[in-house]
């Protein structure tokens, strides 16, 4: 009940809600506890048979146990000049690294045996008043006049992919940039 109430809050990410509560509370859910060896079991897997107390077969499934994969991830809140030139978050709601990491591991670890580990990183400050930044943005977006280039409110991933690649965190397999809109 507590989990249902927690994930029913209006500010919970809908993808997290769907991953955490898949048809759990609609009355159709059945729960089985499976115990076995920890070593990986490759494809095609083993057939696991779930039986009721009366030994009736309730369900069958093929189970594959994958070796754990560790992925190093870095989170970078993007900062842009705010009022008075003071850096401000590009996103209305900045990324909380620990919360994001917990969410990713809650979804991926039980389903695919993928564990994300955080790589420390700094926020990314993009000061589009600097000539070098303007030139990078102009190049990325295909603008001829770099003096007109500004960091957009809405990020076009395809156009700015090259711009962000220059700012990925060394030692991380994946760098996530927290922006307002994509």
């Amino acid at each position: 009940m507590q989990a249902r109430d927690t994930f029913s809050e209006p500010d919970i990410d809908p993808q997290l809600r769907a991953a955490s509560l898949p048809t759990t509370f609609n009355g159709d859910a059945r729960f089985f506890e499976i115990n076995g060896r920890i070593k990986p079991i490759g494809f095609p897997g083993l057939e696991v048979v779930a039986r009721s107390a009366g030994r009736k077969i309730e369900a069958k499934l093929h189970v594959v146990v994958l070796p754990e994969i560790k992925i190093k991830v870095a989170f970078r809140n993007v900062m842009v000049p705010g009022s008075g030139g003071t850096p401000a978050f590009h996103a209305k709601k900045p990324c909380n690294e620990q919360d994001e990491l917990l969410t990713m591991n809650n979804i991926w670890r039980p389903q695919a045996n993928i564990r994300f580990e955080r790589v420390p990183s700094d926020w990314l400050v993009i000061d589009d008043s600097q000539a070098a930044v303007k030139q990078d943005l102009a190049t990325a977006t295909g603008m001829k006049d770099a003096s007109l280039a500004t960091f957009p409110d809405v990020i076009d991933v395809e156009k700015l992919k090259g711009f962000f690649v220059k700012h990925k965190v060394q030692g991380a397999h994946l760098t996530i940039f927290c922006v307002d809109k994509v």
Side-chain angles (χ1 to χ4, degrees):
M1 295 294 278
Q2 183 181 8
R4 183 191 65 201
D5 293 344
T6 299
F7 287 108
S8 296
E9 293 293 324
D11 62 337
I12 294 294
D13 177 48
Q15 288 180 327
L16 174 61
R17 180 182 299 120
S20 302
L21 299 176
T23 67
T24 303
F25 296 103
N26 68 2
D28 293 341
R30 298 185 301 165
F31 296 91
F32 300 96
E33 181 177 337
I34 299 172
N35 296 307
R37 58 186 182 176
I38 296 172
K39 295 179 183 176
I41 300 170
F43 289 98
L46 295 176
E47 184 176 72
V48 175
V49 178
R51 297 180 186 270
S52 66
R55 307 293 298 155
K56 178 184 171 208
I57 295 176
E58 296 289 334
K60 292 181 181 181
L61 39 120
H62 282 266
V63 176
V64 174
V65 179
L66 303 171
E68 182 179 78
I69 296 172
K70 295 177 188 170
I71 297 177
K72 295 181 180 183
V73 63
F75 299 92
R76 298 196 81 183
N77 279 305
V78 175
M79 306 286 287
V80 294
S83 60
T86 322
F89 291 109
H90 186 267
K92 287 181 180 70
K93 185 178 178 185
C95 170
N96 178 314
E97 295 176 8
Q98 205 55 40
D99 289 347
E100 295 298 330
L101 191 68
L102 181 63
T103 298
M104 291 167 69
N105 280 323
N106 282 343
I107 293 169
W108 286 90
R109 197 151 188 215
Q111 294 185 41
N113 209 13
I114 295 175
R115 182 166 52 94
F116 293 92
E117 296 177 341
R118 189 177 70 81
V119 174
S121 59
D122 296 325
W123 294 341
L124 173 60
V125 179
I126 299 173
D127 185 355
D128 59 11
S129 67
Q130 296 177 355
V133 174
K134 282 189 171 295
Q135 185 58 56
D136 284 347
L137 289 168
T139 302
T141 57
M143 293 178 71
K144 293 184 190 227
D145 186 357
S147 67
L148 300 175
T150 58
F151 192 71
D153 292 333
V154 178
I155 306 303
D156 183 329
V157 176
E158 287 304 312
K159 286 184 178 178
L160 291 174
K161 187 182 342 181
F163 178 83
F164 281 107
V165 164
K166 293 179 180 179
H167 299 287
K168 63 184 185 177
V169 174
Q170 194 169 23
H173 298 112
L174 174 66
T175 301
I176 297 175
F177 297 93
C178 184
V179 296
D180 191 42
K181 292 180 183 158
V182 177

